[in-house]
Amino acid sequence: MRFGIHVSLVAALAVTAIVGESAANDASEKRIFTICVPEVYWKDCAELIKDSALKGIPVSCISGRDRLECIERVGKKEADVVAVDPEDMYVAAKNNELAVDPKYSVVEQVRTKEEPDATYRYEAVCVVHKDLDINNVEGLRGLRSCHTGVGRNVGYKIPITKLTAMGVLNNLNDPQYSARENELRALSSLFSKGCLVGTWSPDPSINQRLKTTYSNMCALCEKPDVCDYPDIYSGYEGALRCLAHNGGQVAWTKVIYVKRFFGLPVGVSPAVPTNENPTDFRYFCPDGTKVPIDENTKPCTWAARPWQGYMTNGAVNNVQALQKELTDLGKLGEAEKADWWKDIMLLDNKTLAVPAPVVSPVNHLTNSKYLDVIERDSGSVGKVARWCVWTEGSLNKCNALSKAAFSRDVRPKLECKFDKSREDCLKAIKEDNADLVVVDGGAVQGAIRDFNAKPIIAESYGPGSTKLGERPAVAVIKKSSPVKDFAELRDKRSCHSGYKGNFAGWEAPVHALKEKSLINSEDDVADFFQGSCVPGAPVRSKLCQQCVGSIAANDDQVSSVTKCKPNNAEAFNGGDGALECLSSDKGDVAFVPLTALSRINEKNQERGKESSDFSLLCPGGGIATLDQWERCNLGIEPPRVILSSADKSINALEELTHGTLAASTLYSKRPDLLQLFGTWAGMSNELFKDDAKGLVSVDKSWDKWDQWQQTQQNYTIA
C-alpha cells in the first residue's frame, strides 16, 4: 500500500481491482485496463471508476507519485496506460533500462476538434514580407525578428535548435555564460532588433541584467523597458502583428495562427476575414525558399510539436480494445464534464481522444523533428550541475528531478552525487567535486566558515513565513479554551505537526517546556500530556494515542496501518493535520508553524469568515491573537538553503541559480509532473522540507546566518 497518497479510495479501488482481475480471467477479451494516475489527482479516480462502470466501460486505477513514476510503472507493467506530453515521451524513450520489456507505445492521441486529422499539434513556421531580399538562412543575419516569447517552442526553442544546427547561430557554448545567456547572446548578435518578451530568468536580478544587456531583443516590443507579458507584439498572433505593424522583418509562430491572422480556413473551421493581406507575406523555408500564404499552398515548416497522447507497454496485446476504451472514456468524460476527464485524460472542450497508428515514443518525436528540440543543449554543451546528497531518499528524488527536468528545458543537466554525510558533501563543494548541496539554515554559517560555501537559493513557504523564509513555531488553542499558561497544559491532549527533526511540532515545544522546567527531556513529553498525536513517533506510545490514521478510508484495518504515519496517510499529519486534530477535539493544543494558520485564515476568508477560531498560547504566559505572533512564538525556524562554492564565478553561480529556480518554478505549479515538494515515497523532508512551496534566490539582504546558527544550537535536542 502506498502511504504517500490520499487513501480515501483504497477500499473501493481494491474491490474494483479484484473485480477487474476476475473479469479478465473469465474473459480475456474483456480485460479491464489500468490507468496510472498522479497522486494529486487520486480522488478523481473514484469518479472515473464509478462513471465508467455505469456506462459499461470499466477501468481500474493505480497511483503513481507523479507522472514520472507513472511512466516507470507502465514500463514495469504495473499499469497499462498513462496520459503524457511529448516531454514525457522523451523520458520514456530514455527510460528503457527500467522497463521489464521496453516497448513503450503511443496508441492514442489528444487532438483538437478543429484539426482532428492533423498530423501534429502545431507546426512552427517563419513568416517574412514577400519582398524581403532573402534566399538562404544566412540572410536572417541583421534582420528585425518577432518571437512568441522566451522559452516557448515555436518562437524560441525551435528557431534556436534549427538555426544552431544550420550554423547560423554561433558562439552558443561560451563556458563563462549560462545556457540561457548563451542563447540570448546568440539571438542578440544574429538579429539587429527583436521582441522576445517573458521572464528571462526566474531570479529577478538576473532577469533584469539580461534584459538590460541584450535590450535590442526587446526593442520591437510594445513596452521595451518591460519586455514582458502582456504585450500586443507577443504570443503567436502578436509575433505576426509585430511583423506586419511594428517594423519586424521576420516572425516565428505556428501555422494555425498564420491562417487565422490572414483570414484563411483552419481545419474544419471556415475562413473568418481579417484586414490583413496574405499576399504581402511569405513562409520562409529552412532551404531558403519562400512559399505563398494561401488556402492551397502547403506551408514549409521548421519543426512541429507532437500531439499529447496515451502511452502503453508491450503487455497490452489488444491495442484496438485499449484505443476503443480511451476514445469512449473521452466521450463519456465530455458528456459528464468530469474532473477526471481533464486531470487524468488531459482533455477539454476543444480536444478529443483519437486512435492513432501505434508508434514508439522516440519515433513520435523524431517524425515531427521535435526530438532535437527537447535535447537542445547548444548553450551548455557538456555542462552538468552536480548535486550532492547523503540519504537514499534524497538521491532518489534528485535522480527523478534530473530525469524529468532535462526533458522540460532545465539547463544545465542535473547530475546527482551520493556521499556519506553533510560534511562530506560540503567538502565536495569546497574541492569542486560538487556544485550544489542543501543544508538547514542553521548550518550555513559553519559551511561558509569551514568550507568556503556560498548560499544562493532558499526554500519559501508562502504566507505565514518571513521575507527570509523563516517560519515561527506557535502553540495554538481554541478561543474557547480555559488554558492561559503552558503549565496548564499538563495532562491535556496535544497535536503536533511532526516528530524528531520537525521544528514547530517537536523541537520548539520541547524547548519551551524545558525552559519552563515543566519537563527535563524530550522523553518526558509523553507523560506530560494525557495523550498526543505526533506523526512519526512510535505507534504504540502515548505520543500516537490521539492519531487516527486514514479517516477517509472508512476502514478499520487501513486506519490501523496508517495511524501515526509521518505522511498524508495520517489525517493529522503536518501543520494542517495538527490543526484538524485540534478542531476535531482530539487535542487541546496544537504545535504548528504559523504558515499552517495562515492557510486556515485564507480558507476562512474564502468562506466569508472574518476571523480564526484559534488563539496563540504564549510561552511567557497569556494568549494572543494570530497577528501577534512576533511576541508570542516558540522560536523561529530557518529555511533550508542551497549552497555552492564561493570560488565560482558570478556567471557560474547565476547559471546554477537560474537552472534550479527554473525547475522549482515549474514543479511547484505542476506537482502532477514531478512531486518536488512534499513527502517522497513515504519519507519526510527528503532534499527539501515537505511543506516548502518553492525556492527563491538569496541576495545580500540575507544576513541572519549567525542568528540561525544560534537557533540551531539552542533548539537541537541531544
Side-chain angles (χ1 to χ4, degrees):
M1 181 179 296
R2 296 179 55 82
F3 293 124
I5 62 172
H6 299 285
V7 292
S8 59
L9 308 175
V10 169
L13 295 180
V15 172
T16 302
I18 293 169
V19 171
E21 184 177 347
S22 174
N25 291 337
D26 291 344
S28 59
E29 70 274 9
K30 293 183 180 179
R31 172 180 174 179
I32 294 179
F33 295 105
T34 300
I35 298 177
C36 189
V37 180
E39 287 176 8
V40 293
Y41 299 137
W42 184 239
K43 289 183 178 179
D44 290 341
C45 254
E47 294 303 315
L48 168 60
I49 288 171
K50 182 177 73 174
D51 292 348
S52 63
L54 288 173
K55 298 296 182 180
I57 44 174
V59 295
S60 178
C61 284
I62 188 172
S63 169
R65 177 195 64 241
D66 43 42
R67 199 181 291 177
L68 179 66
E69 190 179 46
C70 275
I71 292 168
E72 294 173 353
R73 300 198 81 173
V74 168
K76 294 174 182 177
K77 300 180 181 177
E78 297 170 356
D80 297 312
V81 65
V82 58
V84 291
D85 298 325
E87 289 74 16
D88 304 310
M89 299 175 195
Y90 176 82
V91 171
K94 300 294 181 181
N95 196 45
N96 283 343
E97 68 272 12
L98 292 175
V100 177
D101 181 8
K103 289 183 179 177
Y104 288 103
S105 296
V106 181
V107 298
E108 183 110 348
Q109 296 176 6
V110 175
R111 295 187 179 179
T112 62
K113 295 175 181 176
E114 191 171 42
E115 296 185 296
D117 299 321
T119 307
Y120 308 113
R121 178 179 171 187
Y122 56 75
E123 296 174 287
V125 290
C126 179
V127 182
V128 298
H129 295 273
K130 71 172 182 179
D131 54 357
L132 183 68
D133 184 16
I134 184 171
N135 53 33
N136 57 53
V137 291
E138 278 292 338
L140 293 169
R141 197 170 302 281
L143 297 184
R144 300 183 296 274
S145 185
C146 305
H147 302 256
T148 53
V150 73
R152 295 175 65 166
N153 279 310
V154 299
Y156 186 83
K157 295 180 187 178
I158 288 173
I160 286 176
T161 302
K162 304 306 178 180
L163 292 175
T164 300
M166 294 173 178
V168 179
L169 277 182
N170 307 120
N171 196 24
L172 274 99
N173 194 30
D174 191 322
Q176 69 172 308
Y177 297 107
S178 69
R180 172 56 59 85
E181 185 161 2
N182 270 322
E183 292 176 342
L184 293 169
R185 286 174 69 243
L187 290 173
S188 178
S189 298
L190 177 63
F191 299 114
S192 60
K193 292 183 178 180
C195 180
L196 180 67
V197 306
T199 302
W200 288 15
S201 172
D203 179 290
S205 61
I206 298 175
N207 180 61
Q208 188 55 53
R209 182 186 67 77
L210 292 174
K211 287 183 178 178
T212 301
T213 305
Y214 309 107
S215 60
N216 67 312
M217 291 308 296
C218 296
L220 294 183
C221 296
E222 178 187 11
K223 300 173 184 175
D225 55 327
V226 178
C227 200
D228 205 347
Y229 304 102
D231 193 294
I232 61 172
Y233 300 124
S234 70
Y236 302 118
E237 185 176 331
L240 290 165
R241 195 178 294 118
C242 168
L243 173 71
H245 304 293
N246 203 41
Q249 294 171 292
V250 53
W252 306 89
T253 186
K254 59 185 184 182
V255 170
I256 191 171
Y257 275 86
V258 174
K259 293 180 177 180
R260 287 175 181 165
F261 188 77
F262 291 114
L264 302 174
V266 178
V268 298
S269 301
V272 178
T274 70
N275 293 325
E276 308 296 341
N277 185 2
T279 62
D280 291 338
F281 297 89
R282 297 287 186 271
Y283 291 113
F284 177 64
C285 307
D287 64 4
T289 60
K290 288 184 279 189
V291 173
I293 298 175
D294 57 39
E295 192 172 335
N296 303 312
T297 305
K298 180 178 174 58
C300 58
T301 63
W302 289 65
R305 180 166 175 78
W307 295 109
Q308 296 168 293
Y310 305 97
M311 197 163 60
T312 186
N313 56 47
V316 176
N317 297 318
N318 192 341
V319 171
Q320 290 76 20
L322 177 58
Q323 289 174 326
K324 183 179 187 307
E325 182 131 323
L326 291 168
T327 302
D328 290 346
L329 286 173
K331 293 175 181 177
L332 173 62
E334 181 167 18
E336 301 287 340
K337 294 295 184 284
D339 286 340
W340 57 260
W341 172 62
K342 172 175 62 75
D343 296 335
I344 296 177
M345 298 196 70
L346 311 183
L347 295 168
D348 58 34
N349 290 327
K350 295 181 179 180
T351 59
L352 69 171
V354 177
V358 177
V359 63
S360 70
V362 70
N363 286 340
H364 189 58
L365 299 173
T366 303
N367 293 343
S368 62
K369 298 183 285 186
Y370 195 69
L371 182 66
D372 60 340
V373 177
I374 293 179
E375 291 187 324
R376 188 183 91 262
D377 202 18
S378 53
S380 57
V381 176
K383 280 188 180 181
V384 293
R386 301 162 297 174
W387 203 315
C388 191
V389 297
W390 59 90
T391 70
E392 289 289 342
S394 293
L395 179 63
N396 291 336
K397 179 183 274 192
C398 180
N399 283 329
L401 174 60
S402 172
K403 192 178 302 181
F406 184 81
S407 74
R408 292 185 183 272
D409 207 34
V410 173
R411 302 291 185 273
K413 186 175 184 179
L414 182 61
E415 188 176 274
C416 305
K417 173 183 172 63
F418 186 75
D419 225 320
K420 295 186 290 293
S421 66
R422 181 183 70 187
E423 287 67 29
D424 287 313
C425 278
L426 288 169
K427 184 178 179 182
I429 292 287
K430 182 178 181 180
E431 296 176 352
D432 195 29
N433 292 319
D435 302 303
L436 298 167
V437 63
V438 186
V439 301
D440 290 326
V444 172
Q445 181 70 323
I448 293 172
R449 181 186 65 240
D450 300 332
F451 298 95
N452 196 34
K454 183 174 180 61
I456 59 172
I457 296 169
E459 293 176 334
S460 63
Y461 303 93
S465 59
T466 70
K467 182 181 177 182
L468 301 187
E470 303 156 302
R471 287 181 297 163
V474 291
V476 184
I477 56 175
K478 292 181 180 178
K479 282 185 175 179
S480 58
S481 173
V483 174
K484 296 293 186 291
D485 188 84
F486 263 58
E488 296 175 23
L489 291 175
R490 187 180 297 278
D491 294 327
K492 297 294 192 295
R493 303 160 302 166
S494 64
C495 309
H496 303 247
S497 59
Y499 190 38
K500 294 183 179 182
N502 187 292
F503 185 86
W506 190 252
E507 292 167 359
V510 167
H511 179 267
L513 292 170
K514 286 172 66 177
E515 285 282 295
K516 298 181 77 63
S517 301
L518 295 172
I519 61 172
N520 294 317
S521 74
E522 66 175 341
D523 296 334
D524 299 333
V525 173
D527 291 326
F528 179 79
F529 292 109
Q530 181 187 63
S532 303
C533 178
V534 192
V539 69
R540 289 182 173 81
S541 72
K542 280 180 66 181
L543 295 177
C544 288
Q545 180 178 301
Q546 299 303 109
C547 293
V548 292
S550 173
I551 297 175
N554 196 28
D555 182 283
D556 290 342
Q557 185 176 359
V558 172
S559 297
S560 175
V561 171
T562 55
K563 184 175 182 177
C564 211
K565 291 291 180 182
N567 52 48
N568 290 340
E570 165 58 59
F572 295 160
N573 179 62
D576 293 358
L579 291 175
E580 180 63 28
C581 169
L582 178 63
S583 297
S584 303
D585 200 31
K586 297 287 284 187
D588 302 296
V589 62
F591 297 104
V592 300
L594 186 66
T595 48
L597 278 169
S598 296
R599 287 192 291 273
I600 292 289
N601 271 348
E602 284 182 354
K603 291 177 181 176
N604 284 342
Q605 290 172 4
E606 290 172 4
R607 296 167 185 160
K609 287 188 177 182
E610 292 186 3
S611 63
S612 171
D613 296 327
F614 302 121
S615 297
L616 302 181
L617 180 65
C618 305
I623 60 174
T625 57
L626 304 189
D627 59 359
Q628 296 177 309
W629 63 265
E630 288 189 71
R631 72 168 183 84
C632 186
N633 67 74
L634 314 187
I636 307 291
E637 179 184 16
R640 281 188 177 175
V641 177
I642 300 178
L643 305 175
S644 190
S645 170
D647 284 338
K648 291 187 181 296
S649 69
I650 292 175
N651 284 338
L653 291 170
E654 277 195 1
E655 178 169 47
L656 293 168
T657 301
H658 173 91
T660 306
L661 291 181
S664 69
T665 300
L666 169 64
Y667 295 122
S668 62
K669 296 175 182 175
R670 294 292 307 275
D672 57 312
L673 299 179
L674 181 74
Q675 192 172 295
L676 189 58
F677 304 109
T679 56
W680 184 268
M683 296 179 289
S684 293
N685 303 320
E686 295 295 349
L687 207 59
F688 304 113
K689 290 281 190 180
D690 288 350
D691 42 4
K693 301 302 179 187
L695 302 176
V696 294
S697 53
V698 169
D699 58 31
K700 292 180 181 178
S701 69
W702 294 61
D703 59 358
K704 291 193 174 182
W705 315 122
D706 285 334
Q707 187 175 325
W708 291 355
Q709 180 176 258
Q710 193 62 49
T711 297
Q712 185 179 60
Q713 291 170 355
N714 292 344
Y715 283 76
T716 297
I717 299 172

